[in-house]
Amino acid sequence: MSITISNTHLGDLKAGQSATILAMHIEAGLQHRFNALGFRCGQEIHVLRQGGWMKGPLHVQIGMTEVMLRRCDARHISVTAVGVAA
């Protein structure tokens, strides 16, 4: 069973959810860094873990790369959630 969510931001996803990147609304320097890590429109991204205390960072996997991402940066990445396994 899977749950589908419409357009949202990466920072809103929970551990175990997957999504497809729609757009990144970030400054050019940070966008260049994210592109080097594999963050691109149309790329699938998986939230592995999230820091619970004080809305900590997200641990995400994109392709074969795992990244710790500040939640404030994750809020600037628009995604369409693919779902979550039950």
Side-chain angles (χ1 to χ4, degrees):
M1 178 180 170
S2 68
I3 300 170
T4 302
I5 304 170
S6 60
N7 297 350
T8 188
H9 294 95
L10 181 57
D12 296 332
L13 299 182
K14 305 293 182 217
Q17 290 185 303
S18 298
T20 301
I21 297 175
L22 294 176
M24 295 188 293
H25 311 285
I26 52 179
E27 59 161 90
L30 188 56
Q31 179 139 4
H32 180 70
R33 181 177 295 173
F34 281 176
N35 285 341
L37 292 169
F39 287 73
R40 291 182 180 79
C41 293
Q43 186 73 32
E44 190 168 326
I45 189 165
H46 307 280
V47 179
L48 301 174
R49 293 184 296 165
Q50 57 187 39
W53 192 76
M54 297 295 290
K55 296 286 187 177
L58 295 176
H59 181 193
V60 300
Q61 181 177 9
I62 189 155
M64 297 299 294
T65 305
E66 292 186 19
V67 178
M68 294 299 287
L69 183 68
R70 295 182 303 185
R71 196 171 296 265
C72 63
D73 293 331
R75 287 189 195 111
H76 297 288
I77 300 175
S78 298
V79 298
T80 296
V82 174
V84 58

